[in-house]
Amino acid sequence: MVNRGNTKFYEAKGMYADSTVFDIFSYRMLLGDPETALTKPNSMVVTVSFAEKYFGTENPMGQSLTIDNQEEYVVTGLLEDIPQNSHFTFSFLISMVSDKSGLSDNWARYQFYTYLLIVENATPEVVDTKFPAILAIRIGEENAAAVKPFLQPLTEIHLRSHLFREMETNADIAYIYAYAAIALFIILLACINFMNLATAAATRRTKEVGVRKVAGAGRRALALQYLGEALLMSFMSLGVAIVLIEIFMPAFNGITGKNLSANLTDGSFLLPALLILTVIVGIISGSYPALVLSRLSPIRAIKGESGGAGGSSLRRALVTFQFAVTITLMIATAVVFSQRRYISAKSLGFDKHHLIVVPLRSNLLKSNHEAIKIELLRNPNISKVSASANMPGGSDYGVPIVADGLPPGETFAIRHLIADQNFIDTFGMEIVDGRELSTDYPDDERGSYLINEEAARQLGWDQPVGKSISIPAFKREQGTVVGVVKDFHFRSVHTPISPVIMYVQPSNWLTRISIKVLAGNIPELLASIEKIWTTFDPSQPFTYSFFDEEYDGLYNREKKGQQILGYFTAIAIFIAALGLFGLVTFAAETRTKEIGIRKALGASVSSIVSLLSGEFVKLVLIANLFAWPAAWWAINRWLENFAYRIEPGLGTFVMAGLLALAIAVITVSTQALKAATANPVEALRYE
Amino acid sequence: MIKTSGLKKLYVTEEVETTALNNINIEIDAGEFVAIMGPSGCGKSTLLNVLGMLDNPTDGEYYFLDHEVSSYTESQRANLRKNNLGFVFQSFNLIDELTVYENVELPLLYQKVAPAARKEKVMAAMDQMSMTHRKNHFPQQLSGGQQQRVAVARAVVARPKVILADEPTGNLDSANGDEVMGLLADLNKDGTTIIMVTHAPQYAEYSNRVIHLLDGRVVSEKMSGAGRA
Ligand SMILES: Nc1ncnc2c1ncn2[C@@H]1O[C@H](COP(=O)(O)OP(=O)(O)O)[C@@H](O)[C@H]1O
Ligand SMILES: [Mg+2]
C-alpha cells in the first residue's frame, strides 16, 4: 500500500531495481538523472500515471510517499508510462539499496530477476559457462552444484519461455502459429470462392471472350484483363477490411482481453505486409479464371461453350478442399471444447466453490489471525475458516526437503503448501492415511507434516506415516509425517500432479484467510466480514476475492484462445457455405433447360434436387477423407499439452462430418428446390 | 381420351395481362392425328403445354383419360405425364451433357424400368429412328435432323399413348422435315395419338384433323388429309 496523506492505494506493480536498470532498459526518463536516481536508499522512480494519481499536477520530484505505513521514499525520477507490450511493466521502482531483507545480497535466494547486457560479439552460451565458478565462490561448491543458471534472450521470453514464476504471464508461440494458420486457411477459402464463382460466371462471359478474340484481343491481353479485375477486387476488399478492423477491433480486444491495435501509419511491417498479401490474394484468385478464359478458342467461345469438363473438375477439387478445412476446424473445435468440459468436470481433489479469500495485509492482522477466525466463525453463514501462506493455483516455495530414505546429501523437490490446521477441512480435501494436522497436538506447530500420495509414491514410501522430514532452508529440523492427503491439483491440469508437502509456519508467514461460506446473502456476509477486518486493523482497505474465480484464472488465456477458435470455425463454415451456395445457384441456373427437359419427361422434384445436390454431397463426403487424418494429427498435438486429457473418439469425427454434410445439404437444397419446383414450361420456352 | 371444356389461360405480368387461351372446348379421341395451326402468338404452344400437363390452365376443365387434371398437383401430373405422354420440341431439347443413348433412356429411368428391359427398349427406339450407329455421340455432334430423330426416339421409347409435338419441323430443312413427319405418321399408324403444332400446311396434311386458333380461340376444326379420305 502506498499513501500520501489520505491518498492511499494498493499498488501491485512496484519493484526493487538496481541503479543500473536504466543502462539495460530503454525507459524514457522525463525528470531526474538516470545515473543517480536509484543509487541512494529510500529513493523511488515513478511513472507519469502513477505520479498523477498521487500528486495530480504538482511536480513529483522530491515529494515523498509512505509504503506499507512504514518507510518513506523520495521521488527521484519520472518515467514515461511503460508500454503495455513491454516485457514487464511497473508503476514505480525502488532503489535496491533500500531493501532491508538482505536478500538482494544473498546469492542462494532467487528473489530477483537478473538481466545482463552482453557485449556485442559474446554468445550467451559462453557466458553461461562462467556461472558455476562465480556461484561456487558466492555460495560454496556444494550449493552451487544444485543450480544451473542460464541466459535466455529477452525477445524470446514472451513467446517461448515457460519457466516457473515468469515475470509476466507469457504468451505461447504455438497459439500464434495456430491463429496464423487458421487465418491463412480462411483467406484460402475465400480465394477459392472467388476462383470458383469467377470461372463459373466466366462460362457466361464466353461470348464476350469470343467477340474480343475475334476483334483481335490476344491471350495475354485477355489474361491480364481478368487478372486486373481480380486485383481490383482484392484491393477494394482491403479497403473494406481496414474499415471492418477499425469497427471490430474494440470488440475483439474485449473478447481476448488483449490490447491489440492495427496501426497502419506507424511505419511498421503491417502496411507493406497487407499490400503484399492483397496482391498475392488477387493473383491467386485471378490467375485461374484468367487462364481458363483466355484459352478458349474464339469459335467455341462465340457458340457459348464453356471451358469444358476440366474447369468443373478443378472446381470440385477446390470445394472438396474447402470442406476438408472446415471439417478439420469443426473437429478441432469440438475436441477443444470437450477437453475444456473434461477439465472443468475433473475432480480437483478439493472443493473450490463457496470460498471467499481475504488477504492478511498487515502484521497486526497476521498476528491476530486466530482471533479473526474465531470472530468469523460466530457468523452462522460461515462454516469453516483457514489461514494460509499460499493456496492451490497460486505460487509456492521452491525449496527442497530432506527426507528418510534419500541418499545422504540428496534433497527432494516438492511443492509447499503452508497453512494452519484447518486447511484440509476448509478446502474439502481428503486424508487417505494417518490424520490431519490439529491444534490438539501442540507438536503439529513445528514438527508435523502432511504429504500427498504423489510425494509418498516418488519417495518410495509404502508406510509414509511416521517417516521423518526436514526443511533446512526454512530451518525446520527433523519432523514427522502424520498423514497423507489424497492427490489434488495444486497447479493447472496441464501439469501432472506434483509432490506436495503441507505444514504450519509461524503467523508472520500467513497471507490470507479462506472462508467457507454457506449459500446465502453474499453482500451482507461480505459486509460483516469487512467489519471484522476493520476492527482488527482499521488502517487497511478491505479487499476480497472468490477462490473459484481466482483458480479458474489459470485457464483464462486458454479459454479465450478457444473462444477465438470457435469464431474462426464459424467464419470458415460460413465462407465455405457461401461458396457452395454460389456454385449451386450457378449450377441450377446453367442447367435450367436440362431441369425443364427432365421434368417434362417425368422427373420428380426430389430426383431433381438430388441431381443438383448429389454432386456436392459427394464432395463433402470425400472431404472427410482428408479432414479426418489432418484433424487427428492436430488435436493429438494439442492434447499433448495436457497431463490429463480426453481420448477423442470416432464419434467426434462422424459428428463433424455429418454437421458439414447437413450444412452443405441445407445450403444446396434450398437452391436446388427452387430450380426443381420452377415451371418446366419456363425453361423450355427460351432458346 | 382428351376433352377440355371452357379452358382458359391467363398470363399476368407486371405490364400486361395476356389471355393466351380463351374458352377452348376440344375433344380428341385415341388414335387421332391432330394438327394445331394459327399465326404466331395465338396460343398454340400454350395449348400444347396445357394438354401436355406441363402447365396448369387458369380456368376450365381438362379431362385426360377421364382424370380431371386441372387441379392436380405437380407430382400427380408428373406421374400421368411420364406414363402416357411423349414430347417433341421445335428446338429438340436434348441434354447436351448426355449421349444419344442416355437421352433416349431418360424417360425409362423416371418410369423405373428395369435395366435389361430398358436397354432393349432404347435400342428398339433408336433402331426405329435409324440412330443406333450414333448412340455414343453427344447432341452437339449431330445435325439438326439427327437431333430431332433422337428427340422422337426419346418421345416414343416409353410407348406413350400420346405424343405432343411443338413445331417438330420448325428448325429443319424440308428433307429432314419430311423424314420426321414420316416417322410421326408411322407412329400414328401404329396407334399412337399425335397432337402437333405446325405452321406448314403441307405437314398439316399428315393429320386427320386441323384445329385453327386465333387469339386464343378455336376458329375452325376441319377434317384434313387422312381424315377426309
Ligand atoms: N410465360 C409467359 N408469360 C407471359 N406471356 C406469355 C407467356 N407464354 C406465352 N405468353 C404469351 O401468350 C401468347 C401465346 O403464346 P404461345 O402459346 O407461345 O404462342 P404460339 O402460338 O406462337 O406458340 C403470346 O401472346 C405470348 O406472348
Ligand atoms: Mg409456339
Side-chain angles (χ1 to χ4, degrees):
Chain A
M1 187 180 72
V2 175
N3 74 297
R4 179 190 189 221
N6 280 331
T7 321
K8 47 181 161 179
F9 297 99
Y10 281 108
E11 296 289 346
K13 292 247 156 193
M15 296 175 180
Y16 284 114
D18 269 332
S19 58
T20 52
V21 65
F22 305 111
D23 296 344
I24 295 196
F25 295 101
S26 54
Y27 302 126
R28 275 212 30 216
M29 196 171 258
L30 304 172
L31 296 170
D33 178 6
E35 291 291 315
T36 59
L38 291 176
T39 48
K40 294 192 197 71
N42 289 38
S43 51
M44 72 193 290
V45 169
V46 302
T47 61
V48 170
S49 51
F50 179 92
E52 273 167 8
K53 214 155 73 174
Y54 291 91
F55 310 112
T57 51
E58 291 175 51
N59 182 351
M61 296 296 287
Q63 305 261 21
S64 57
L65 291 171
T66 313
I67 295 185
D68 291 341
N69 289 330
Q70 292 165 6
E71 294 282 330
E72 278 212 358
Y73 295 84
V74 177
V75 176
T76 54
L78 181 69
L79 293 180
E80 245 179 21
D81 279 351
I82 314 303
Q84 279 298 312
N85 57 357
S86 253
H87 165 51
F88 60 82
T89 60
F90 55 83
S91 50
F92 66 93
L93 297 173
I94 290 174
S95 59
M96 188 68 85
V97 286
S98 325
D99 176 31
K100 296 199 175 63
S101 68
L103 293 175
S104 59
D105 265 343
N106 185 341
W107 285 65
R109 296 294 302 276
Y110 313 105
Q111 213 76 16
F112 296 95
Y113 299 85
T114 309
Y115 296 85
L116 307 182
L117 198 60
I118 59 177
V119 292
E120 195 79 41
N121 32 29
T123 62
E125 292 74 22
V126 173
V127 178
D128 282 348
T129 60
K130 314 274 188 205
F131 288 132
I134 302 173
L135 266 182
I137 297 167
R138 294 290 181 164
I139 60 176
E141 298 270 353
E142 220 168 278
N143 291 330
V147 255
K148 293 209 167 33
F150 62 92
L151 295 177
Q152 53 176 344
L154 183 67
T155 48
E156 299 272 288
I157 294 177
H158 182 64
L159 290 177
R160 295 177 202 270
S161 174
H162 305 287
L163 297 177
F164 179 49
R165 279 196 200 147
E166 291 282 357
M167 191 94 172
E168 303 254 326
T169 322
N170 283 341
D172 194 334
I173 187 85
Y175 272 85
I176 295 188
Y177 285 148
Y179 293 149
I182 295 174
L184 201 71
F185 275 125
I186 288 183
I187 292 182
L188 257 178
L189 295 190
C191 285
I192 289 176
N193 278 356
F194 185 88
M195 286 158 84
N196 274 342
L197 293 176
T199 46
T203 52
R204 249 186 288 175
R205 289 175 71 171
T206 47
K207 267 219 171 78
E208 172 201 331
V209 175
V211 173
R212 279 176 192 278
K213 280 205 162 179
V214 170
R219 248 195 92 163
R220 259 170 72 96
L222 277 173
L224 284 177
Q225 181 200 336
Y226 290 115
L227 210 55
E229 283 173 19
L231 278 169
L232 186 70
M233 189 82 88
S234 171
F235 272 96
M236 276 167 20
S237 308
L238 176 66
V240 175
I242 289 172
V243 174
L244 287 180
I245 287 175
E246 280 305 313
I247 295 173
F248 286 113
M249 195 55 103
F252 182 77
N253 281 335
I255 295 165
T256 55
K258 294 242 184 313
N259 194 8
L260 302 178
S261 61
N263 193 342
L264 295 176
T265 50
D266 65 358
S268 75
F269 73 100
L270 201 54
L271 187 61
L274 272 181
L275 291 176
I276 292 171
L277 182 70
T278 308
V279 171
I280 292 176
V281 165
I283 289 176
I284 290 181
S285 27
S287 58
Y288 179 67
L291 213 69
V292 170
L293 279 175
S294 63
R295 214 167 39 197
L296 282 175
S297 88
I299 313 271
R300 288 177 51 201
I302 282 191
K303 278 170 73 183
E305 265 179 59
S306 61
S312 62
S313 75
L314 184 93
R315 232 176 283 153
R316 277 195 285 269
L318 291 176
V319 170
T320 310
F321 174 78
Q322 280 191 317
F323 270 85
V325 169
T326 312
I327 294 168
T328 307
L329 280 176
M330 286 200 288
I331 295 173
T333 311
V335 168
V336 163
F337 280 91
S338 38
Q339 169 73 12
R340 144 121 255 113
R341 217 173 318 124
Y342 168 77
I343 287 173
S344 43
K346 185 164 171 35
S347 158
L348 294 168
F350 54 84
D351 182 6
K352 65 179 179 181
H353 301 290
H354 308 299
L355 278 168
I356 294 175
V357 181
V358 185
L360 295 170
R361 288 213 143 99
S362 65
N363 286 332
L364 201 54
L365 289 169
K366 289 178 207 252
S367 50
N368 279 315
H369 76 273
E370 281 302 338
I372 296 174
K373 280 163 64 180
I374 291 167
E375 279 303 313
L376 286 169
L377 286 171
R378 275 187 213 275
N379 189 320
N381 285 321
I382 294 176
S383 61
K384 285 149 194 165
V385 291
S386 167
S388 64
N390 59 336
M391 347 183 259
S395 60
D396 76 321
Y397 307 85
V399 300
I401 60 168
V402 175
D404 266 359
L406 292 175
E410 225 163 80
T411 55
F412 181 69
I414 196 164
R415 313 261 67 95
H416 298 244
L417 179 47
I418 295 172
D420 66 14
Q421 295 86 339
N422 307 107
F423 197 86
I424 295 282
D425 199 25
T426 307
F427 278 74
M429 295 165 147
E430 203 182 311
I431 296 284
V432 290
D433 191 11
R435 60 172 178 84
E436 55 183 293
L437 299 176
S438 158
T439 43
D440 299 343
Y441 300 83
D443 242 15
D444 284 1
E445 298 248 335
R446 280 306 286 165
S448 299
Y449 297 100
L450 295 177
I451 58 171
N452 67 348
E453 295 169 298
E454 183 61 24
R457 206 171 301 133
Q458 288 193 17
L459 285 162
W461 291 348
D462 293 332
Q463 290 286 326
V465 174
K467 289 280 195 294
S468 58
I469 282 176
S470 64
I471 311 174
F474 292 159
K475 308 213 161 54
R476 290 180 66 113
E477 301 307 332
Q478 213 75 328
T480 326
V481 174
V482 297
V484 177
V485 191
K486 191 171 164 51
D487 278 340
F488 62 95
H489 283 277
F490 192 69
R491 292 278 177 72
S492 88
V493 288
H494 282 288
T495 47
I497 286 173
S498 49
V500 176
I501 185 166
M502 298 174 66
Y503 51 92
V504 183
Q505 283 284 55
S507 67
N508 63 327
W509 284 67
L510 299 173
T511 58
R512 68 202 80 190
I513 292 184
S514 305
I515 304 165
K516 183 85 176 176
V517 301
L518 304 173
N521 186 338
I522 295 293
E524 204 172 281
L525 198 55
L526 282 170
S528 68
I529 295 172
E530 173 167 10
K531 223 165 114 203
I532 296 171
W533 245 258
T534 42
T535 13
F536 280 92
D537 186 352
S539 76
Q540 299 289 329
F542 175 77
T543 61
Y544 66 91
S545 58
F546 292 101
F547 177 70
D548 49 0
E549 285 174 12
E550 227 170 286
Y551 186 82
D552 291 341
L554 289 178
Y555 305 108
N556 263 349
R557 207 189 65 213
E558 267 171 64
K559 215 163 150 181
K560 283 166 185 160
Q562 292 158 7
Q563 239 174 318
I564 297 175
L565 178 69
Y567 289 122
F568 272 161
T569 307
I571 292 174
I573 293 174
F574 179 71
I575 293 179
L578 205 64
L580 202 57
F581 183 81
L583 272 187
V584 76
T585 309
F586 181 79
E589 192 180 298
T590 47
R591 293 170 81 171
T592 9
K593 188 184 125 192
E594 176 188 340
I595 293 167
I597 297 169
R598 286 178 184 270
K599 287 191 72 180
L601 297 177
S604 62
V605 170
S606 63
S607 80
I608 299 289
V609 170
S610 68
L611 173 78
L612 282 173
S613 345
E615 189 186 3
F616 294 108
V617 166
K618 226 184 300 163
L619 299 183
V620 174
L621 290 177
I622 294 171
N624 279 296
L625 295 183
F626 297 100
W628 290 14
W632 177 256
W633 177 84
I635 59 181
N636 277 308
R637 286 283 306 265
W638 181 75
L639 284 173
E640 278 168 15
N641 283 318
F642 293 88
Y644 305 92
R645 51 180 177 250
I646 52 165
E647 287 292 333
L650 190 64
T652 313
F653 290 72
V654 174
M655 280 303 288
L658 285 179
L659 188 61
L661 194 63
I663 290 168
V665 166
I666 291 169
T667 312
V668 168
S669 52
T670 50
Q671 280 310 89
L673 201 64
K674 216 172 103 191
T677 49
N679 197 333
V681 177
E682 298 291 316
L684 299 173
R685 234 164 69 89
Y686 305 103
E687 212 13 54
Chain B
M1 152 173 264
I2 283 174
K3 183 173 187 283
T4 71
S5 110
L7 212 57
K8 189 170 177 178
K9 180 75 186 175
L10 268 179
Y11 287 116
V12 186
T13 59
E14 271 164 30
E15 311 94 58
V16 283
E17 203 181 278
T18 320
T19 310
L21 296 177
N22 198 353
N23 193 25
I24 303 278
N25 303 294
I26 53 173
E27 210 167 323
I28 296 170
D29 293 328
E32 271 198 89
F33 190 147
V34 176
I36 301 173
M37 296 187 76
S40 187
C42 69
K44 306 182 296 291
S45 296
T46 305
L47 177 59
L48 207 66
N49 288 336
V50 170
L51 295 181
M53 286 176 271
L54 294 174
D55 211 351
N56 266 339
T58 313
D59 201 6
E61 284 154 21
Y62 173 28
Y63 296 93
F64 182 84
L65 293 173
D66 299 331
H67 301 278
E68 207 294 288
V69 298
S70 60
S71 58
Y72 268 30
T73 64
E74 166 60 26
S75 69
Q76 286 173 311
R77 286 188 284 144
N79 248 334
L80 271 182
R81 211 153 60 208
K82 70 181 176 196
N83 291 318
N84 299 296
L85 300 177
F87 292 91
V88 178
F89 302 93
Q90 174 179 2
S91 53
F92 324 135
N93 277 337
L94 299 173
I95 295 175
D96 292 341
E97 289 77 15
L98 302 181
T99 62
V100 165
Y101 182 94
E102 289 163 340
N103 265 290
V104 175
E105 188 186 26
L106 219 47
L108 300 177
L109 286 176
Y110 292 124
Q111 288 187 17
K112 306 219 158 47
V113 175
R118 212 156 64 206
K119 186 164 184 206
E120 200 175 296
K121 288 184 179 189
V122 174
M123 292 313 283
M126 286 198 303
D127 196 38
Q128 197 176 353
M129 303 300 141
S130 319
M131 287 305 298
T132 315
H133 60 297
R134 300 285 187 173
K135 71 180 175 123
N136 291 323
H137 284 64
F138 287 92
Q140 304 277 334
Q141 299 168 315
L142 304 177
S143 71
Q146 288 171 323
Q147 288 192 41
Q148 196 61 304
R149 293 218 302 267
V150 175
V152 176
R154 185 180 64 185
V156 302
V157 70
R159 300 261 157 244
K161 295 188 177 66
V162 183
I163 288 180
L164 298 155
D166 192 348
E167 301 189 43
T169 58
N171 282 358
L172 301 177
D173 59 30
S174 60
N176 277 313
D178 291 348
E179 193 179 321
V180 167
M181 284 314 296
L183 291 171
L184 290 177
D186 288 347
L187 288 170
N188 181 242
K189 256 182 222 132
D190 293 345
T192 310
T193 309
I194 294 185
I195 306 172
M196 173 185 78
V197 169
T198 186
H199 278 298
Q202 79 267 27
Y203 293 141
E205 284 298 311
Y206 285 82
S207 69
N208 45 27
R209 179 153 61 112
V210 180
I211 298 176
H212 279 276
L213 289 186
L214 189 62
D215 287 342
R217 294 171 183 275
V218 178
V219 287
S220 74
E221 284 188 63
K222 286 186 203 133
M223 290 300 153
S224 74
R228 277 189 304 239

